Amino acid sequence: MSRVIICDTGPLIHLHEADAIHLLKLAGDILIPPAVASEFGRNPANGNLPNWIQIYELTARAAGQVERWVRNDDVDLGEAEAIALALQQHSDWLLTDDAEARQFAEGLGLEVHGSIGLLLWAVVAGHIKNRAQAHQTRNGLRRSSLWISERVVAAAVEAIDELFDNPR
């Protein structure tokens, strides 16, 4: 059975900008809520969503949760819909690059990863075959609109090097 992954807008944009959006398809079945599809489509530079990304509607109950979270200023609309869809679909992963959304979703018991986490997964899973390719993808993410702290960049460099120095 394939891994079910709900994706927020950030990773879609950042991975697209880094020419690494194909990594999402390798990770599992990618589902997004309507607000994420809309947010991605607002910028013509993003192009069209890949046809393997599925847009899922929220149930009335999930939509009610979204309204409460947005009204309480817990998270923004796209993030709220992604979190609600992850709960609704009992997803394996939620992908978001937003720190507040990550904290909020983890507080609800979801397993959350971001674009850098997906990159590291791709290395471990053998989809990125060599160190140079891994660092090229990391550099692509660094050049994207994703804000990454120097601490996270250093940790990613160290993790990539460790994974290639000590393969499992």
Side-chain angles (χ1 to χ4, degrees), residues 21-131:
I21 198 164
H22 65 283
L23 294 177
L24 285 172
K25 184 178 184 181
L26 298 172
D29 294 329
I30 307 302
L31 314 179
I32 62 172
V36 168
S38 177
E39 288 175 1
F40 185 84
R42 278 192 209 126
N43 184 347
N46 292 334
N48 295 324
L49 278 170
N51 63 1
W52 42 263
I53 293 178
Q54 303 169 57
I55 302 170
Y56 263 66
E57 296 294 325
L58 297 171
T59 63
R61 180 173 180 234
Q65 287 178 309
V66 168
E67 278 185 40
R68 283 189 299 281
W69 295 337
V70 170
R71 185 178 47 242
N72 293 339
D73 204 26
D74 294 323
V75 285
D76 292 335
L77 179 61
E79 293 143 356
E81 280 197 7
I83 292 166
L85 184 61
L87 292 168
Q88 172 185 306
Q89 296 301 121
H90 305 285
S91 72
D92 297 295
W93 294 353
L94 170 70
L95 294 180
T96 184
D97 287 325
D98 183 272
E100 289 179 15
R102 173 186 294 259
Q103 261 189 325
F104 187 77
E106 286 173 345
L108 296 171
L110 294 172
E111 182 175 339
V112 184
H113 301 283
S115 295
I116 295 289
L118 183 69
L119 164 61
L120 296 175
W121 168 84
V123 170
V124 170
H127 298 297
I128 294 181
K129 306 280 187 215
N130 60 61
R131 188 185 313 254

